[in-house]
Every structure is written in C-alpha cells, then in structure tokens.
Amino acid sequence: MDTQKLAPENFEERVVWVALTWTYVFYLFGALYVVAPVIAWMLFLRRCTAALLTAPGTAPDGPRLPIPVVIWTVGMLVMLLALWIGHLQQELGLAKLIKSSIGWAKGWALIALFVLIGCRNIRPALVVRATGIVCLQTLLLLPLFILAWLLGLPQTPWVSPLQVIGGPGPEFFAFNLYEIDPGSGLPRWRLFTPWAPALGFVANIFFLFALREKDAFWRWCGIIGSIAMILMSGSRLALVALTGVALLTFFLARMSQPAMLLFAGAGATLTGILGSWLVQLFVNFWSAFRGARADSTRVRDALGRIAVERWQNEAPVWGHGIVERGPHLVEYMPIGSHHSWYGLLFVKGLVGFLALAVPLLVSFVDLLVRAQSSELARTGLAVIILLFAYTFGENLEILCYLFWPGLLLVGAAHAEAPAEAPAALPGKACIAN
C-alpha cells in the first residue's frame, strides 16, 4: 500500500489530512488550539446540511447512527446542561455563562463531534497514515529541539497573538523549544503540545495507530517516532501506557478464543499461588511510580482532595459551574486539574461525572464485543482504554484538540460494516477500512 493510494478522496478526508500533516506548521503559528474546533464544527455543520436532504433520523450516507455514537452526543450535551445549571445555581452571571459555553464548544463538544465525524466518509487508514507522517516529521525535527537545549536558547521564543481569542492559558499558543523539569533539573520536550505529559498522551495514540499501519516504512516511522516522543516527554503515565494499553487490548480482544480462556484460567491459578508476592510487587511499583516526581504527586493529591471535599459539601449534583484557582498549597493550580473525574465533580457535579462515565462504558462494551473479530474495533478499544487511563492524569476536555484522531477511529469502529463486525451487532453503518 503506497502513499498515493491513500491520498484524500473527498472533502472530509482533505480537511483531516491537512489538519494532521500540517501539525508543525500550525504549531509554529500557535494555531493548533484553533484548528481542531474549526474543522470539527465545520464538518459537523456540513453533515447537518446534508442531513436536511435525507429522511428524518438518518445519516446523510447511510442508516441510523450507532447507539454508542448517539450516547456520546447525549453525554456531551448533558455536560452543557450541567454547565448552565451550575452557573445559574452559583449566580455567576451571563458573561461567564457565555464564556463557559464557548469553552464547552472548544472542549467537551469536540469529543462527540469527532466520534460522529469518524462514522462517515473518512477512511481510518488515511488517518493512520497522516499520523505516521507527523511521526516522521518529529524524527526529522528532534535534533533541532535537542540542539536548542544544548545551546541554551530561550525555552519559549514566542507566544502567538492568537491567544487573544481566549483559551486555557498562553502555553496553548506558545512555541516551546524545550523545558527544564523543576524537580530533577533535566530537560523535557513538549513539542506541539501545551505540556510534556500531554505529548506522551498524543504519542501513545500515534503508537496505537502505527501498530495498525500496513506499510512497513510508515509503520516503523510511527513506532519509532511515537516512542521517541514518549521518552522525550518524560511522562510516567505515558511509559506505563505504552505497553500496558497494547497488552491489555491484545488479551481483551481475544477473550472468545479457547486458547485465551485456557491462558486466563492458568493465569488465575498462578495469581492465586503467587498472590502475596504479586501484591508486594505492585505496591513497590506504585511507590516508585509516585515517588519518581514526589512534588508533582503531592500537588495532584492535594488538588484531588480539595475538589472532592468542596464537591461533596457545596455542589454535589450540578457542580460549581466554573474552574477555580487553588490555594498556595497546590501552587495556585486549578482545582480538579490533572484529573478528569475530580475536575468533573467540582465543575459539573455528579451529573457531569456520569455524562463522561456512561459513554466511556458503552463504547468499551460495544468495542470489546466487536474486537473479537475486527482489527479496527481493536484499535478503537485501545483508544478508549487509553482515554480512560488518562482521565486519572489529565483533563480530557482541554486536550481534545490534540487527541481527536483517536476519536475519529472510535467513531469508525462503532460504525463498521456488519460483514466485519460480530453477527450479534447487525445494522451498523458501513465504513471503509
């Protein structure tokens, strides 16, 4: 399979192709944070326009949307409802309500939009190839970023004027060459992401995609490039996810095979015999994992405690409606940041918590069943597992503009043709693989 055969064939594919393969160009001008919301809403409105010409309740090019995709859409709309009610209950005013609603359109809404967009007219193989190109570009540019550190150049040469449009912070519009970890004094690289752990997150998605690539050259570009990004990010969670997600997906996707059932039985027996040793091994690993950056772990734990206590005591159902800065104890970081669940509880309450938990669970179950016989579903399942893992280390809302290629494949996997999905799940929309 050569690159020419994977050239974009329609408007949607051209938009996605340019948005991904021009990643470093957009990053240079501080436009990455803008690109994802623009293409998501543009492609969504294009689909809505096409839907007006079709029968009610159907997608423009096929039958009804898969149930998991509908649930993702409902879940993200519930996020907006929780935001509105939270603002009204806390009497935050109309100006903050409008600002937060725009933030929702650039954050949580993108999850549903990209899952929906992935259901139609975009071949997963094209998305995979585009991310492989980004990995190759990264490998070519890495010497320049390393040289910048060796020469002692300014860490952040400039911040794009586009920051005037508003966003979580200037780091989302900054061109950053490298950074120095305050705890260890060692360099870390964030490349086109706002902070180093976010680079590890995106690189893990690229790694999952690389495993799916059919062409050997692009497959190795994706594997080497994504691993290089993970190592240079210095992210603990990224290193664990690199092998953990792929291995877990491998076993889960083969649960229906007799050999795997025998293996699982033997594993359960061995675990019972070595239970005490395995528990101690995990405790030692977890202690070392948390101790690798003790200051970061302390701040994260404090942010979580503050978020849960204030959620329980002040706004358990609908949340506070808005992010608040924490005290000096947590270095004035936003309460609930670095953790999607704590952040949701604090800002959107139990309603917001369930608005993410339910779609994640439904997607997981649907893709788990499909993954027993579908390679595309296995990739989608791996993405869902990775997203769940990162809910404990990042705020998914503000990083949607980076991991959206994974959402496209999740949507495509849910809408895969019945011929490639298990017989128990008929009637799904056809998607080119």
Side-chain angles (χ1 to χ4, degrees):
M1 182 182 298
D2 58 45
T3 307
Q4 294 300 320
K5 293 181 180 178
L6 283 178
E9 295 179 351
N10 55 53
F11 178 78
E12 289 84 356
E13 289 190 346
R14 285 192 291 272
V15 169
V16 170
W17 182 265
V18 171
L20 284 173
T21 58
W22 287 27
T23 291
Y24 279 100
V25 175
F26 293 131
Y27 170 56
L28 182 64
F29 293 99
L32 268 183
Y33 184 72
V34 181
V35 169
V38 168
I39 66 174
W41 284 103
M42 177 180 65
L43 294 180
F44 172 70
L45 293 175
R46 177 183 171 87
R47 286 199 60 187
C48 289
T49 302
L52 294 176
L53 305 177
T54 63
T58 62
D61 301 315
R64 294 181 183 275
L65 293 173
I67 291 177
V69 177
V70 175
I71 292 177
W72 272 112
T73 304
V74 173
M76 297 308 103
L77 288 174
V78 170
M79 290 283 192
L80 181 61
L81 176 64
L83 183 150
W84 286 346
I85 295 180
H87 274 68
L88 294 175
Q89 287 187 343
Q90 301 297 322
E91 299 180 349
L92 298 175
L94 180 61
K96 288 187 177 180
L97 177 62
I98 295 174
K99 181 179 179 180
S100 296
S101 298
I102 295 174
W104 169 85
K106 296 186 296 182
W108 290 117
L110 298 189
I111 296 183
L113 291 178
F114 279 115
V115 171
L116 180 65
I117 292 167
C119 289
R120 304 287 188 273
N121 299 332
I122 298 175
R123 291 167 294 160
L126 186 90
V127 181
V128 169
R129 178 61 55 82
T131 57
I133 292 175
V134 177
C135 288
L136 176 60
Q137 293 170 349
T138 299
L139 291 174
L140 296 176
L141 292 172
L142 278 184
L144 299 178
F145 287 96
I146 296 174
L147 186 62
W149 164 63
L150 293 174
L151 295 177
L153 297 181
Q155 296 183 28
T156 306
W158 69 82
V159 178
S160 171
L162 289 175
Q163 68 174 321
V164 299
I165 68 174
E171 62 270 21
F172 286 76
F173 303 93
F175 180 78
N176 184 277
L177 294 174
Y178 64 96
E179 64 183 61
I180 302 298
D181 189 300
S184 64
L186 298 176
R188 302 174 76 184
W189 284 265
R190 63 179 71 171
L191 301 184
F192 51 86
T193 66
W195 44 75
L199 176 63
F201 184 11
V202 177
N204 265 285
I205 288 184
F206 289 0
F207 178 76
L208 295 175
F209 284 10
L211 297 179
R212 179 180 168 79
E213 174 62 63
K214 304 302 181 183
D215 182 89
F217 173 78
W218 290 113
R219 181 169 60 251
W220 283 109
C221 283
I223 292 174
I224 296 173
S226 57
I227 291 177
M229 285 188 276
I230 289 171
L231 294 176
M232 297 186 72
S233 74
S235 170
R236 297 167 293 170
L237 180 55
L239 287 170
V240 173
L242 177 63
T243 54
V245 172
L247 287 175
L248 181 58
T249 304
F250 177 85
F251 288 112
L252 289 176
R254 292 163 176 80
M255 289 175 55
S256 61
Q257 298 181 7
M260 189 58 65
L261 295 176
L262 291 174
F263 180 83
T269 302
L270 187 62
T271 300
I273 297 174
L274 303 176
S276 298
W277 178 78
L278 291 174
V279 169
Q280 187 59 46
L281 184 66
F282 175 78
V283 170
N284 294 338
F285 164 78
W286 187 244
S287 298
F289 181 83
R290 290 171 59 84
R293 288 195 176 85
D295 290 339
S296 174
T297 298
R298 175 187 60 79
V299 172
R300 287 173 181 267
D301 289 347
L303 284 168
R305 289 195 302 271
I306 294 172
V308 171
E309 289 175 4
R310 291 194 57 187
W311 161 66
Q312 290 176 331
N313 298 325
E314 300 173 7
V317 179
W318 298 102
H320 293 79
I322 195 171
V323 174
E324 295 182 17
R325 290 286 176 181
H328 175 69
L329 173 67
V330 293
E331 302 175 7
Y332 305 106
M333 290 187 177
I335 297 174
S337 61
H338 301 81
H339 200 293
S340 293
W341 303 113
Y342 291 155
L344 281 172
L345 287 174
F346 181 80
V347 178
K348 296 180 174 63
L350 181 61
V351 173
F353 183 97
L354 294 175
L356 176 61
V358 172
L360 271 176
L361 178 61
V362 172
S363 263
F364 175 80
V365 172
D366 183 69
L367 293 176
L368 177 62
V369 175
R370 290 172 168 271
Q372 307 308 309
S373 61
S374 166
E375 181 184 352
L376 177 59
R378 291 168 191 164
T379 303
L381 177 63
V383 171
I384 289 296
I385 294 173
L386 183 64
L387 291 183
F388 177 72
Y390 266 90
T391 60
F392 298 96
E394 294 285 358
N395 188 325
L396 294 186
E397 177 187 14
I398 60 178
L399 295 181
C400 290
Y401 80 102
L402 292 173
F403 65 77
W404 60 269
L407 299 173
L408 289 178
L409 259 69
V410 168
H414 282 309
E416 193 175 17
E420 295 185 356
L425 294 170
K428 303 299 184 182
C430 181
I431 191 76
N433 186 2

